[in-house]
Amino acid sequence: MSLFKACDWWSATLGEGEEFDQGCLCVGDVDNSGTGHDKIIVGSYMGMLRIFSPHANKCTEGSPADAQLLEVQLQNAIIQVEVGRFVSCSEFLHLAVLHPRKLSVYAVFGTAGNVDHGDQYQLKLIYEHNLQRTACNMTYGTFGGVTGHHSLCIQSMDGMLMFFEQDSYTFGRFLPGFLLPGPLAYNSRTDSFLTVSSARQLESYKYETLAVSADAESRQDSDLPPKAGGKRLSPDWTFVLGEQALDVSVPSFSHSSSSILVLGERNLFCFRDNGQICFMKKLEFNPSCFQPYASGTDGTTSLLLGNHTNMLLVYQDVTLKWAAQLPFVPVAVRVANFTELRGAVVSLTSDGHLLCSYMGTDPSFFSTPKVNAREVDYEQVDAEMKKLHRFIREATRTQDILPKTDAVEDLSVSSNVSSSLDKPSQALIQDMDGLPVPSVTVQVKIKALSALQSFKLSICVQPPLAVTEDQFALEPMGVGSTKVVAFSAFLNGRYPPADLTGDIIVSYSSPTELNPKGVPRVLQSRFSLPLALVCVPSSPAKNTKFKITVDTNQPPVDLSSIFREFSAKTEDKDGSSLAFQLLSGTKVTVVASKTSQRYRIQSDSFEDMWLVVKELLQRFDQHFAKLGIKDFRKSFSGSLPLQDYFLSVDHHFQLRVSAQQYQDLLSERAVQFRAIQRRLLTRFKDKTPAPLQNLDTLLEATYSQVMALAEAAEDNRALLEQAFVRLRSATHLLVLLMSLWQGLTPDQTAILEATLLPLLQDTPQLGWEESCDAAVSHLLRSCLSQSPKDQATTLAQTGGLVLGLPQDTARLKKHIALLCDRIGKGGRLTLASDANVQVPAQVQNLAAPGGVETIAEVAGDAEEMEPPQEITKFLKKKQPSKKVKKEKEKKVASTEPSGATAQEVAGGAQEAIKEAKKERKESSKGKKESRKDSSKEEAKKESKKESSSSKEKKESSKEKEGKDIGDKKVSRKSSVKVKEKTKEPEAEET
């Protein structure tokens, strides 16, 4: 596609502050000069009528004024101007001007001047019609096949077509089903009128049908039954466009052409006279106007089309032939013949820029000067090539996804959180369980380092936190100017938030030389709210459900010196304990050991400990940093509370399942409600009344069920939001404990947090469970994989399953337990592909002072947990009895005296693994029982074989346990080898 700029031939600016539309431009030999050269007639909404006879622009400032023939100020606004034979006794062309309440027909004639001032042109009124209704647009033509003169048809704003024949009013008809006026055109070949209704369909009305239809004195009468002797008005044919039309045109350049063109908002339509569609062209831009013109090729339709990207396009049917750049967006375009130029394109803008242009290129007489030939320095070229190759290599090595920001920012944003709470509080909920809800003021200071505009400031906080105002619209700022914005933050829900940080997002535009409107930019800043916003001091609690112990390498610190805002109201004077009463009702107690360097955090809610633990560790870092202690370390040596964490996971999952069930029930009741409505409508429309057969009672009952289900679904949605916030808190706490447990770096902690918290909120299409499961599975198959082969296979895979709501959380909990186990063995959390480096056993034991017990892994494709070799044998045939299990446990306990302590350290991960093994045993046992019921004879034979094999397996298991006691390292390697052989099918399924 060639893009050339439209060449200016003549231009003018029409007034100041005037407005124009597509009906305000018309071309024709309005003064009847007889030369066949067109004049440009322009009318404005301000009532100014101008007539131009343009010629080529000279290098003088007065050329547009010389081309103006007439300028008249009329009393009313000009909606549309047309040139035609509107006087019956004359064959000359006259000018029809449409006002909102008047139609005027003028004659334009010129008088030859005897001096250098030139010819004089005058405007003479021939006749006018005062309209009873407000006009919208008009069209003209030889209505009814009358030749020699043109009649006029005006469409009013309320949908009435008014017909005028010269100086007399003929009749008027209301269009059926009218809502808003659309474009109007007359087709002389079929003697019909075309318009686009509010139903977004093209309608054709015969003039004869309009003339003989029943007369409607008002708009409401058009929808009533017709009077005696008349016919109800209906269109000859219709076509559904599916979009609103901007203009309708019927070209009549030759008798062979029979096309109707409709310009829509996104498409260009072409129809035959009978309503059949010829073609439809989908436009990739927003059009503004179009104009068909005479083409040298018969059977094709040529047209000019202007759009909102300042382009003028030339189409021949659906083929783009030419494209030219305009200096503005045209609202009307015409083709005219002038004295010095034929086929000029006349375009008009909404603010009065009138341009006559032509498309093409001017010949260029510039010749390229000769350049003295010089020899090529190959050494210099090679040096330049090496330099460029070095730049390319450095550019390809960088893995930055986002572009680097400039060294100097256009804007600086700083926030200041008040150290004291607001008095009075700005919270919407003033009281929670007898405790006042406080608020705190945050001031945001914005300083502009350059001229900026289009300022918008947004405040985002985590639910259930809220702010008094979250959107600010600021005025443009100059260089060095500052603005301060203040708002208050408070708790707006009966549960603690997962994060006390908030984000400040500033969007603005930075003007440049090439873009005066400005380049859009976004700047983000973060602020932290105080802990006193969500809790108050209280008395310590002794008996709690959940406890966490944090170890340090420094002497115990007085808690009252760290939490000064809470120490004033506490009862403990020695500073060894401190309690925080959350506004939601739970209590968190922090106890410092007097003899050791440990701190215990305990509460009746696992999730509520997160904010206190995070604040405690942050204040420890700040306290020891002020003292100049650089080697301060904190760790966690207890067992990971996976079982406590899985309670939050299960609660969130059950609420998601309930939400899906409510959605299904609502869909069923809605279908039932619509079916009853259809039945009732059928009964009501029936001419012979029939009994309702309790359909009205059934409708009321269904409506009550729909409303009850909707309220229950809304309550469940609120509980789901609360459960997700609590799940986020529990996940944050688990990530923090794992980072303290293994001493993870900030990058590894960020990867772990992004894996366990892939979403900031739940959506009906994607939830936390499936997202977290996919992320954890990816880590288990990539950087935490035990085999480089598995990692290469995972990297080669390109597709994956579609994420959806799982049936249960067993798979997710197994993967999370396996993730903790592999991190406990020294696995590296990294996004690099070469992360599969095995750590020696001595380093693993040093890195894991306590925590998740080691789990035997499968060195195959599967990354799920698999039961040991002894259990897999019984999974295939028969489960061992309870007596055998008890005897086996007693023997293991007698041979391993230190096993009890190891099991206590193992904690929640080992329990989760045992539950998974039991589920697998029960499922396999159910399958075997179903098979036994199907065939009694086979069941007897299998039971005998299983009983004999079970004894052998018991003896082999006892021998293996004895071997395990003698040499643990050898037994572990052998168990892994056996699993590689026996569990390949199960690993592939996972």
Side-chain angles (χ1 to χ4, degrees):
M1 183 176 66
S2 301
L3 294 176
F4 293 98
K5 184 178 181 300
C7 301
D8 299 348
W9 182 72
W10 179 86
S11 62
T13 302
L14 311 181
E16 294 182 359
E18 298 186 38
E19 294 183 7
F20 303 84
D21 205 349
Q22 62 180 3
C24 299
L25 177 63
C26 180
V27 295
D29 190 11
V30 68
D31 60 343
N32 300 285
S33 61
T35 58
H37 299 149
D38 295 328
K39 313 298 185 299
I40 301 176
I41 303 99
V42 183
S44 69
Y45 285 164
M46 301 298 291
M48 191 68 69
L49 180 65
R50 299 179 179 89
I51 301 177
F52 296 92
S53 178
H55 49 78
N57 276 338
K58 309 296 180 183
C59 296
T60 59
E61 297 181 356
S63 55
D66 294 341
Q68 184 169 343
L69 305 182
L70 184 65
E71 182 176 15
V72 178
Q73 174 67 54
L74 302 181
Q75 296 180 356
N76 300 313
I78 299 174
I79 300 176
Q80 191 173 346
V81 290
E82 296 290 349
V83 175
R85 296 181 176 87
F86 304 127
V87 180
S88 59
C89 58
S90 175
E91 295 183 356
F92 293 111
L93 297 176
H94 292 77
L95 177 63
V97 180
L98 180 62
H99 302 284
R101 287 281 185 169
K102 184 188 295 185
L103 172 64
S104 303
V105 177
Y106 297 94
V108 180
F109 57 92
T111 304
N114 297 324
V115 292
D116 294 338
H117 293 296
D119 299 339
Q120 297 179 359
Y121 287 84
Q122 296 180 358
L123 192 68
K124 182 180 179 181
L125 178 64
I126 304 300
Y127 62 87
E128 64 180 11
H129 295 284
N130 292 321
L131 306 178
Q132 299 298 324
R133 302 179 183 277
T134 304
C136 175
N137 51 21
M138 69 175 178
T139 186
Y140 69 95
T142 56
F143 302 162
V146 179
T147 59
H149 63 273
H150 294 152
S151 300
L152 290 166
C153 176
I154 300 176
Q155 180 180 206
S156 65
M157 295 295 291
D158 57 353
M160 186 177 186
L161 297 182
M162 298 172 285
F163 295 88
F164 297 90
E165 189 172 352
Q166 286 78 47
D167 54 352
S168 61
Y169 170 73
T170 308
F171 62 91
R173 297 288 183 269
F174 278 97
L175 296 177
F178 182 85
L179 183 61
L180 292 174
L184 181 66
Y186 173 71
N187 188 357
S188 60
R189 296 183 295 271
T190 58
D191 194 21
S192 59
F193 294 87
L194 301 166
T195 185
V196 179
S197 65
S198 300
R200 297 184 175 181
Q201 62 182 5
L202 179 64
E203 299 177 352
S204 175
Y205 295 91
K206 290 276 189 179
Y207 178 75
E208 181 181 359
T209 305
L210 292 169
V212 301
S213 63
D215 190 10
E217 297 179 357
S218 65
R219 181 179 174 182
Q220 290 77 12
D221 296 342
S222 62
D223 298 330
L224 297 177
K227 299 178 181 179
K231 296 181 179 179
R232 188 170 183 177
L233 181 61
S234 61
D236 184 29
W237 56 264
T238 60
F239 187 90
V240 178
L241 301 177
E243 59 182 322
Q244 191 58 41
L246 302 180
D247 197 2
V248 178
S249 180
V250 184
S252 57
F253 308 116
S254 62
H255 296 287
S256 60
S257 64
S258 59
S259 59
I260 300 169
L261 298 175
V262 181
L263 179 63
E265 296 175 337
R266 284 291 182 183
N267 298 279
L268 175 66
F269 303 89
C270 180
F271 301 90
R272 293 189 177 90
D273 290 338
N274 57 359
Q276 281 187 316
I277 187 168
C278 297
F279 63 83
M280 183 183 74
K281 171 69 175 177
K282 184 174 179 60
L283 306 177
E284 298 178 356
F285 46 79
N286 292 329
S288 60
C289 60
F290 84 130
Q291 175 65 33
Y293 67 94
S295 175
T297 305
D298 273 345
T300 60
T301 303
S302 302
L303 57 94
L304 299 173
L305 197 150
N307 59 22
H308 285 273
T309 58
N310 300 355
M311 296 295 297
L312 183 63
L313 309 176
V314 182
Y315 281 94
Q316 186 172 358
D317 287 344
V318 295
T319 306
L320 181 63
K321 293 295 185 180
W322 194 269
Q325 184 77 33
L326 292 176
F328 45 69
V329 177
V331 296
V333 61
R334 299 289 185 270
V335 178
N337 297 322
F338 300 117
T339 306
E340 303 175 9
L341 181 65
R342 296 182 61 84
V345 180
V346 183
S347 53
L348 176 68
T349 66
S350 59
D351 54 355
H353 290 280
L354 184 63
L355 174 65
C356 295
S357 59
Y358 60 92
M359 289 174 286
T361 55
D362 293 327
S364 176
F365 300 100
F366 175 77
S367 60
T368 306
K370 294 182 180 181
V371 181
N372 296 329
R374 58 186 179 89
E375 296 182 358
V376 179
D377 189 355
Y378 291 100
E379 295 181 356
Q380 183 180 359
V381 173
D382 289 339
E384 185 178 0
M385 181 63 71
K386 292 179 181 179
K387 184 179 179 181
L388 293 176
H389 279 303
R390 186 172 66 256
F391 289 156
I392 293 173
R393 284 194 300 270
E394 292 177 357
T396 53
R397 285 174 184 172
T398 59
Q399 298 179 357
D400 296 335
I401 300 175
L402 298 176
K404 296 182 179 179
T405 57
D406 298 334
V408 180
E409 294 287 348
D410 298 330
L411 190 70
S412 64
V413 179
S414 60
S415 59
N416 181 23
V417 182
S418 177
S419 58
S420 60
L421 301 178
D422 296 340
K423 294 183 180 180
S425 175
Q426 302 295 325
L428 299 179
I429 304 175
Q430 293 291 329
D431 183 84
M432 287 187 186
D433 299 333
L435 299 175
V437 180
S439 65
V440 66
T441 301
V442 181
Q443 288 187 348
V444 181
K445 184 178 181 182
I446 303 174
K447 184 176 181 180
L449 304 179
S450 61
L452 305 174
Q453 57 189 9
S454 301
F455 266 98
K456 289 184 180 179
L457 187 142
S458 302
I459 309 297
C460 300
V461 291
Q462 300 296 329
L465 295 175
V467 293
T468 53
E469 189 173 359
D470 58 351
Q471 298 287 339
F472 298 91
L474 307 179
E475 298 179 355
M477 300 177 63
V479 180
S481 59
T482 59
K483 288 186 179 181
V484 178
V485 174
F487 59 90
S488 296
F490 51 88
L491 186 66
N492 197 30
R494 299 187 179 275
Y495 55 96
D499 198 352
L500 288 176
T501 60
D503 293 325
I504 303 171
I505 303 172
V506 182
S507 61
Y508 60 94
S509 298
S510 178
T512 60
E513 296 180 358
L514 300 178
N515 191 357
K517 294 183 180 180
V519 178
R521 296 182 182 275
V522 177
L523 189 63
Q524 185 174 359
S525 179
R526 179 161 291 187
F527 62 93
S528 297
L529 297 174
L531 184 63
L533 199 66
V534 296
C535 62
V536 295
S538 180
S539 59
K542 296 182 179 179
N543 298 324
T544 56
K545 294 182 180 179
F546 306 98
K547 298 178 182 179
I548 293 175
T549 303
V550 179
D551 299 337
T552 61
N553 62 346
Q554 297 296 328
V557 181
D558 186 5
L559 296 179
S560 60
S561 63
I562 297 180
F563 295 94
R564 295 185 181 277
E565 66 272 23
F566 295 95
S567 62
K569 300 180 182 180
T570 185
E571 299 177 358
D572 190 6
K573 302 301 181 183
D574 56 356
S576 61
S577 64
L578 195 63
F580 304 89
Q581 177 67 46
L582 296 178
L583 298 180
S584 59
T586 56
K587 183 183 295 185
V588 182
T589 304
V590 180
V591 180
S593 177
K594 298 180 180 180
T595 58
S596 60
Q597 303 170 354
R598 293 184 175 183
Y599 301 87
R600 186 176 64 192
I601 302 94
Q602 56 189 14
S603 175
D604 289 333
S605 176
F606 177 72
E607 303 89 356
D608 295 344
M609 291 189 292
W610 154 242
L611 291 177
V612 177
V613 173
K614 177 185 177 183
E615 189 74 17
L616 179 67
L617 298 182
Q618 288 181 352
R619 298 203 180 193
F620 278 166
D621 294 336
Q622 297 173 2
H623 174 74
F624 289 108
K626 290 180 181 179
L627 298 179
I629 300 175
K630 297 181 181 180
D631 60 344
F632 171 69
R633 295 179 182 177
K634 47 191 181 295
S635 61
F636 174 74
S637 58
S639 60
L640 290 178
L642 287 182
Q643 290 301 319
D644 303 334
Y645 175 67
F646 290 156
L647 294 177
S648 300
V649 174
D650 292 335
H651 179 59
H652 177 262
F653 178 74
Q654 289 300 327
L655 290 175
R656 285 192 63 196
V657 173
S658 300
Q660 185 64 36
Q661 292 175 354
Y662 281 128
Q663 185 68 27
D664 297 339
L665 288 175
L666 271 175
S667 301
E668 294 177 1
R669 295 298 181 270
V671 171
Q672 178 180 337
F673 188 75
R674 289 192 292 269
I676 299 172
Q677 282 183 327
R678 286 195 295 269
R679 291 284 186 89
L680 284 173
L681 287 175
T682 304
R683 295 290 179 88
F684 291 149
K685 288 182 178 180
D686 194 359
K687 295 181 179 180
T688 59
L692 297 179
Q693 297 179 352
N694 296 326
L695 284 177
D696 53 346
T697 305
L698 186 59
L699 183 69
E700 292 179 1
T702 306
Y703 176 75
S704 301
Q705 291 179 2
V706 169
M707 296 304 296
L709 284 173
E711 293 176 358
E714 187 66 21
D715 295 340
N716 186 82
R717 184 192 61 81
L719 293 176
L720 182 60
E721 292 179 357
Q722 178 178 350
F724 184 70
V725 174
R726 290 187 176 276
L727 179 61
R728 287 186 57 198
S729 301
T731 307
H732 281 303
L733 182 57
L734 181 65
V735 171
L736 178 62
L737 295 179
M738 291 179 67
S739 63
L740 296 177
W741 175 45
Q742 289 297 321
L744 301 180
T745 63
D747 293 339
Q748 293 176 337
T749 306
I751 294 174
L752 184 60
E753 187 171 356
T755 303
L756 297 179
L757 276 178
L759 299 177
L760 291 179
Q761 61 181 1
D762 273 330
T763 60
Q765 295 79 17
L766 187 64
W768 177 83
E769 283 80 8
E770 54 266 30
S771 303
C772 181
D773 191 14
V776 173
S777 300
H778 176 73
L779 284 185
L780 294 177
R781 290 186 176 95
S782 57
C783 62
L784 296 180
S785 176
Q786 290 189 343
S787 173
K789 179 182 178 182
D790 301 341
Q791 184 176 347
T793 305
T794 303
L795 295 176
Q797 294 177 353
T798 57
L801 298 177
V802 179
L803 298 182
L805 182 64
Q807 295 181 356
D808 52 25
T809 58
R811 177 188 175 91
L812 173 62
K813 290 189 285 189
K814 287 193 299 182
H815 284 176
I816 293 178
L818 188 57
L819 174 71
C820 299
D821 174 69
R822 292 192 179 177
I823 293 177
K825 292 177 181 177
R828 294 173 52 193
L829 285 174
T830 178
L831 298 179
S833 60
D834 56 349
N836 186 17
V837 179
Q838 294 294 331
V839 182
Q842 295 82 359
V843 179
Q844 294 180 12
N845 296 330
L846 292 176
V852 180
E853 186 178 347
T854 57
I855 306 171
E857 299 297 334
V858 181
D861 294 336
E863 298 300 332
E864 292 190 20
M865 297 183 306
E866 296 294 340
Q869 176 67 20
E870 295 81 7
I871 299 179
T872 55
K873 295 180 181 179
F874 291 101
L875 285 176
K876 295 180 180 178
K877 294 187 177 180
K878 188 177 180 181
Q879 296 287 347
S881 63
K882 295 181 179 179
K883 295 181 179 180
V884 175
K885 290 183 180 179
K886 291 181 179 179
E887 292 176 1
K888 190 182 295 185
E889 291 174 358
K890 289 180 180 180
K891 290 180 180 180
V892 173
S894 62
T895 54
E896 296 181 2
S898 62
T901 58
Q903 290 179 359
E904 291 177 358
V905 176
Q910 186 66 16
E911 294 178 2
I913 298 168
K914 290 180 179 179
E915 290 180 1
K917 295 175 183 177
K918 291 180 181 179
E919 291 176 2
R920 285 178 174 267
K921 293 177 183 178
E922 292 174 359
S923 62
S924 62
K925 186 176 181 181
K927 292 180 181 178
K928 296 297 183 298
E929 290 178 355
S930 62
R931 292 176 182 174
K932 290 178 183 179
D933 295 336
S934 62
S935 173
K936 294 182 179 180
E937 294 179 358
E938 294 178 0
K940 292 180 180 179
K941 294 179 181 180
E942 290 177 358
S943 62
K944 293 179 180 180
K945 294 180 181 179
E946 289 169 358
S947 61
S948 60
S949 62
S950 61
K951 294 179 180 180
E952 296 175 358
K953 291 168 186 174
K954 291 176 186 177
E955 295 176 358
S956 62
S957 62
K958 292 179 181 179
E959 293 175 1
K960 289 183 179 180
E961 288 174 0
K963 293 178 181 179
D964 292 342
I965 297 170
D967 189 2
K968 294 183 179 179
K969 296 182 181 179
V970 176
S971 65
R972 183 182 179 185
K973 294 180 181 178
S974 62
S975 64
V976 171
K977 292 181 180 179
V978 172
K979 287 184 179 181
E980 290 179 357
K981 297 179 180 179
T982 59
K983 299 187 180 179
E984 288 179 358
E986 296 178 3
E988 291 175 357
E989 291 177 0
T990 57

